[in-house]
Amino acid sequence: MVMFVFLVIALVVVVAAVTLAAVGGGSRPVLPEAEPETVADTFPEDRPLARADVDALRFPVVLRGYRMAEVDDALSRLGAELAERDARIAELESARAGDQAHAVGGPGLLALPPEPDTGEEGPAGTPGEGERR
């Protein structure tokens, strides 16, 4: 019975000490207020995204996973950047195809190489037998 009373008194002392430590026992709180976590490394606004920006992105974990608003914002920005890059790639590819068609001989025309001059002429400037026309 003495042992039981001693354990109860020890338990009360420990609980009181922990309570005073957590509450602080005074006017100033011991534990500071916790601020909600937010994404520290947001995407840069002054330049296009790079692979390293996406690799470095980390979302803070909350009670039920991630903050949906922060994930939605990041996915929206990534989607917009990808759409912009796809449009730019399509524009450059169409310009490249147009330049290649123009270099071949213009739009719709094929350039034929000039015929070689053999130096043979028939009578009165008519082509000879060795020349093609």
Side-chain angles (χ1 to χ4, degrees), residues 32-131:
E33 288 293 322
E35 293 184 27
E37 284 188 59
T38 58
V39 177
D41 298 325
T42 58
F43 291 137
E45 297 293 330
D46 59 338
R47 64 175 172 80
L49 294 178
R51 173 67 189 239
D53 297 327
V54 177
D55 289 341
L57 181 64
R58 297 289 177 260
F59 295 105
V61 179
V62 293
L63 183 61
R64 293 179 47 191
Y66 296 103
R67 296 181 193 272
M68 288 188 290
E70 291 178 359
V71 174
D72 290 343
D73 290 344
L75 289 176
S76 295
R77 172 77 189 270
L78 285 171
E81 291 264 341
L82 289 174
E84 183 179 320
R85 287 182 186 179
D86 288 345
R88 180 69 176 145
I89 288 170
E91 176 185 327
L92 291 173
E93 285 178 346
S94 67
R96 181 177 175 214
D99 288 347
Q100 287 178 346
H102 184 67
V104 169
L109 298 176
L110 293 176
L112 298 174
E115 293 185 16
D117 186 20
T118 59
E120 299 177 16
E121 286 191 25
T126 58
E129 293 177 8
E131 246 182 39

Side-chain angles (χ1 to χ4, degrees), residues 23-30:
V23 173
S27 61
R28 70 177 178 92
V30 175

